[in-house]
Amino acid sequence: MRPADNATARAQKGRSPSTLHPGVEEEAEIILTFDDNRLASLVFGQYDQNLAHLERRLNVAAIANGNRVTVKGTPEASEMARRVLEGLYDRARQGAALTPGDVDGTIQEATLQGSLFSPEEAPAPGLSAFDHISTRKRGPVRARNAAQNDYIKALKQNELVFAEGPAGTGKTWLAVGYAVSLLEAGQVDRLIISRPAVEAGERLGFLPGDMREKVDPYLRPIYDALYDFMEARHVDRGLQTGMIEIAPLAFMRGRTLTNALVLLDEAQNTTSMQMKMFLTRLGEGSRMIITGDPTQIDLPPGQKSGLVEAVRILNGVEGISRVTFKEADVVRHDLVRRIVAAYDTDFRNNPPQEPSYRERNQRP
């Protein structure tokens, strides 16, 4: 049962300005009582961190007492907070672990839901404004913001998708999750993962071992995502049987990849020739996802990024979709969002003739 069916909600208006938030002339109070104390504690978060995040985002006061939470703020903000808390409770009932990032996602989802319905028409219980992907291990994974929602929809509707944006936006993680969902559904036979072996400002020298051991250090984020969406034994078995293949970009030439999901990560570090070669590997029954961050190019100075060039050349081609994430879409950690925004601001404020941050800090 939805928490609204087991909650009392009371609105109080016309209080004296001294008892309200600064600048607020009208305040509403909503009291929600959840029927499951354990789920309520998950919604509130450890040490009520989710409620604190909700307060900062919506400029409301949220006070928890047992399985009850009292929300105070403007009528619009209080109503939004109610919908967010109920959405988080629904997620908790489905077994999802709730973090401040999920609070942000639910706020954006509730905002989008509000734009889809008139004030007199409430959204149906359980209706989600955001799309999702589903795997056996994690179950449904819902988009946390509008950009991720566009990304998931693009993955489902197109055979080739470019995803650009800063670190922490979930572009690689969601791509791996979608790939695993297709693999488990039998829509593809293989998952092929590739990444250019370009160091981020360091020279690691010769790496010992076989081909897989040499490229593993560059693919740790992919492995982390695989273990998030699949049981470890299934990942290991897939790697042994070739169902999951780690293919260095340099070894892709001459291949035709059929009935496969092909993922190219860190594509901003591909050259023009490498990108064209990779794009032309696509065979029948296959899909391709290309992710990268054009602001973190580690190619030698003067070398053109294959990702930037491909996005420009292929703009408007049927069957190809492009999704661009911004710093506001960072979901990894709220501090990461602020770091990315600070670097972007510094880049915009630097005169064009000055070298970029990467160039200023690159060793001779």
Side-chain angles (χ1 to χ4, degrees), residues 58 80 83-84 104-117 129-130:
L58 297 181
M80 174 66 75
R83 292 167 58 188
V84 169
D104 285 332
T106 309
I107 290 173
Q108 291 208 26
E109 187 171 12
T111 302
L112 182 57
Q113 280 183 334
S115 68
L116 296 177
F117 298 92
F130 285 166

Side-chain angles (χ1 to χ4, degrees), residues 67-344:
N67 64 336
R68 174 179 295 184
V69 58
T70 302
V71 179
K72 298 179 181 179
T74 65
E76 295 80 8
S78 298
E79 176 61 20
M80 174 66 75
R82 179 190 68 79
R83 292 167 58 188
V84 169
L85 290 169
E86 291 182 352
L88 291 172
Y89 188 79
D90 280 342
R91 292 194 183 194
R93 292 179 61 187
Q94 297 170 11
L98 302 179
T99 66
D102 293 297
V103 177
D104 285 332
T106 309
I107 290 173
Q108 291 208 26
E109 187 171 12
T111 302
L112 182 57
Q113 280 183 334
S115 68
L116 296 177
F117 298 92
S118 64
E120 296 78 16
E121 181 185 14
L127 177 63
S128 172
F130 285 166
D131 210 334
H132 70 278
I133 55 178
S134 182
T135 61
R136 293 171 189 166
K137 179 181 179 181
R138 291 192 68 96
V141 175
R142 193 180 302 171
R144 285 186 175 182
N145 51 50
Q148 286 193 352
N149 184 55
D150 292 340
Y151 187 31
I152 293 176
K153 288 183 180 297
L155 291 174
K156 293 181 177 181
Q157 296 170 3
N158 297 274
E159 295 176 313
L160 173 58
V161 177
F162 288 95
E164 303 171 86
T169 51
K171 55 187 184 297
T172 300
W173 192 76
L174 287 175
V176 173
Y178 178 68
V180 171
S181 70
L182 292 186
L183 201 61
E184 293 179 343
Q187 297 185 37
V188 296
D189 299 331
R190 294 179 296 163
L191 170 56
I192 301 174
I193 302 167
S194 188
R195 193 178 189 185
V198 177
E199 294 94 347
E202 298 181 69
R203 295 295 177 264
L204 303 180
F206 173 77
L207 295 177
D210 58 21
M211 182 179 68
R212 178 180 165 186
E213 291 172 332
K214 290 179 186 294
V215 298
D216 271 0
Y218 300 99
L219 292 162
R220 289 319 310 173
I222 302 292
Y223 283 113
D224 292 342
L226 281 172
Y227 288 119
D228 272 348
F229 287 103
M230 297 179 71
E231 299 291 344
R233 57 191 176 91
H234 293 157
V235 175
D236 295 338
R237 184 187 307 160
L239 290 169
Q240 293 172 3
T241 61
M243 185 177 65
I244 301 174
E245 179 183 350
I246 308 300
L249 184 59
F251 286 25
M252 297 290 286
R253 185 176 296 279
R255 301 183 62 182
T256 300
L257 308 174
T258 59
N259 300 317
L261 191 290
V262 190
L263 170 60
L264 175 61
D265 192 33
E266 297 291 341
Q268 76 275 3
N269 289 326
T270 60
T271 64
S272 299
M273 184 181 299
Q274 286 175 329
M275 178 60 75
K276 182 179 179 181
M277 177 272 293
F278 182 82
L279 291 171
T280 54
R281 301 306 95 199
L282 190 64
E284 291 185 0
S286 291
R287 289 171 174 263
M288 189 172 282
I289 307 172
I290 299 173
T291 66
D293 180 3
T295 67
Q296 296 194 53
I297 298 174
D298 296 307
L299 294 171
Q303 182 76 59
K304 187 182 298 184
S305 168
L307 173 63
V308 175
E309 183 182 61
V311 167
R312 176 182 58 81
I313 293 174
L314 301 177
N315 183 39
V317 175
E318 184 179 356
I320 299 177
S321 179
R322 176 192 181 190
V323 179
T324 303
F325 293 89
K326 305 295 184 183
E327 66 269 12
D329 301 316
V330 172
V331 296
R332 180 173 295 166
H333 191 289
D334 198 52
L335 183 57
V336 176
R337 189 202 316 267
R338 297 195 292 271
I339 291 172
V340 172
Y343 271 91
D344 285 347

